[in-house]
Amino acid sequence: MPTFADKIRLTTMLLKGKEVADQIKIEIAEEVKTIVDKGVRPPHLVAILVGEDGASKTYVKNKELACEKVGFSSTLVRLPESTSEEEVLAKIEEINNDDGIDGLIVQLPLPKHISEHKVTQAIDPAKDVDGFHDVSVGRLTKGQDTFISATPYGIIQLLERYKIETSGKHCVVIGRSNIVGRPMSILMSRSGNPGNCTVTLCHSRTVDLESYTKSADILIVALGIPEFVTGDMVKPGATVIDVGITRVDADTPRGYVLKGDVEFESSEKVAGYITPVPGGVGPMTIIGLMQNTLKSHNLKFSN
Ligand code: GUN
């Protein structure tokens, strides 16, 4: 007779990022309360938003709401599209020098006339809670303690909280972006848990992509093409992590639906575990950012 545990393993399990994120927010809020009860100021995150990109405005708003929920201070610096690179760099310098601020993020993408590289390198690595600075990326690559960029950090914690075994498994990451795919591939190959995977990093020039996806025990898809991965590309029982979230025009009250990079209907019939979109990776990304901000604060005050 299969036990209850066996039975639930026979069906696909949703990796409910929203629920895990809500739980971790409670844990962070408790830690912030302890900090404030000791008479120390709460962690403070600053976001710089340049221009009017609609998706970026939504992301920044969600980050502000999350800060409020866990008891952090947050400041949004809104700059017009016409702001020069020098002005953005000057603002970053001002924030770097402000001891009352623990974390600074500059929402990407930036307007074309501003160099993303210069901007991310201008942020003090001690406040780089996005983990985009070369110092953070270098430390991550060498397995040293650092700020891990929020989406990969969130995914790692989702795997951890669901106790998904990763050691010795084949992890296939699709997408080599600096924000998700590349750091994800490094984290999954590192010594540790989650980690210890044999990792294949696939991208737009990969030949016969399906031969890789079909052998993936853990498939992480971050390429930004709605429903690119279909069920026939997934290995039975695999853990499928869908990082994509794209607005697709639809005859709905909002005029669109949100689609991941994985076709959910066909893939959930094959996978062992799968993240829904929305409610999977997205909420965990914000958690990664909150945890990095708390870590920065703790590094400053816990000595
Ligand atoms: N744009 C898309 N994702 C991110 C992120 O994680 N951080 C920042 N700063 N910009 C983004």
Side-chain angles (χ1 to χ4, degrees):
M1 271 288 279
T3 63
F4 177 71
D6 292 332
K7 274 193 219 157
I8 58 168
R9 291 249 176 270
L10 295 175
T11 57
T12 306
M13 280 193 55
L14 276 186
L15 298 174
K16 297 178 182 166
K18 169 82 171 68
E19 284 184 14
V20 175
D22 286 346
Q23 173 56 34
I24 298 178
K25 273 188 207 158
I26 293 169
E27 294 165 16
I28 297 174
E30 281 166 4
E31 206 174 324
V32 174
K33 187 174 177 309
T34 309
I35 289 169
V36 174
D37 285 350
K38 282 189 206 150
V40 178
R41 68 160 176 79
H44 185 181
L45 174 68
V46 174
I48 298 180
L49 175 62
V50 188
E52 299 295 330
D53 181 77
S56 291
K57 279 193 211 167
T58 308
Y59 289 142
V60 166
K61 183 83 210 153
N62 287 339
K63 289 169 187 175
E64 276 190 293
L65 290 173
C67 282
E68 202 179 305
K69 185 121 192 183
V70 298
F72 289 1
S73 308
S74 77
T75 306
L76 172 59
V77 178
R78 289 207 57 178
L79 300 172
E81 181 91 18
S82 58
T83 309
S84 69
E85 187 176 276
E86 291 66 36
E87 286 168 317
V88 176
L89 295 174
K91 192 75 207 170
I92 291 172
E93 182 65 13
E94 183 189 317
I95 295 166
N96 282 344
N97 293 326
D98 186 337
D99 276 345
I101 294 167
D102 305 295
L104 167 61
I105 62 166
V106 179
Q107 190 63 31
L108 304 179
L110 287 163
K112 294 268 175 291
H113 63 279
I114 302 174
S115 157
E116 277 186 12
H117 180 71
K118 274 194 198 164
V119 163
T120 49
Q121 300 319 298
I123 295 172
D124 178 351
K127 296 188 182 186
D128 178 35
V129 289
D130 254 335
F132 292 169
H133 195 287
D134 288 358
V135 168
S136 307
V137 177
R139 291 183 66 87
L140 176 82
T141 306
K142 293 186 78 178
Q144 294 181 337
D145 188 40
T146 189
F147 296 118
I148 304 171
S149 70
T151 303
Y153 191 17
I155 292 170
I156 288 289
Q157 293 190 76
L158 196 57
L159 295 171
E160 201 171 14
R161 295 255 171 168
Y162 274 93
K163 299 198 176 352
I164 291 175
E165 183 57 70
T166 60
S167 186
K169 305 283 184 193
H170 184 204
C171 174
V172 172
V173 179
I174 311 181
R176 55 182 160 185
S177 72
N178 289 330
I179 295 183
V180 186
R182 198 173 299 280
M184 197 72 240
S185 69
I186 293 164
L187 284 167
M188 295 304 281
S189 70
R190 75 181 175 171
S191 170
N193 182 39
N196 285 328
C197 285
T198 303
V199 177
T200 306
L201 180 55
C202 296
H203 46 76
S204 55
R205 300 293 172 91
T206 298
V207 176
D208 193 10
L209 182 75
E210 213 171 308
S211 67
Y212 296 101
T213 62
K214 276 183 171 161
S215 76
D217 302 305
I218 300 162
L219 180 61
I220 303 176
V221 194
L223 76 168
I225 304 177
E227 302 190 316
F228 179 85
V229 168
T230 47
D232 54 326
M233 296 166 73
V234 174
K235 179 177 173 180
T239 297
V240 178
I241 307 289
D242 187 352
V243 182
I245 184 155
T246 308
R247 288 181 182 188
V248 175
D249 291 343
D251 190 13
T252 63
R254 287 190 296 184
Y256 65 86
V257 286
L258 295 171
K259 291 282 182 194
D261 288 352
V262 175
E263 187 186 61
F264 187 82
E265 292 70 22
S266 57
S267 302
E268 67 107 19
K269 293 188 177 75
V270 188
Y273 296 86
I274 189 167
T275 55
V277 175
V281 171
M284 291 304 295
T285 292
I286 295 196
I287 287 300
L289 182 64
M290 297 297 112
Q291 286 168 319
N292 281 340
T293 306
L294 182 59
K295 179 189 178 97
S296 171
H297 180 280
N298 284 344
L299 285 171
K300 197 179 288 165
F301 287 98
S302 298
N303 294 320

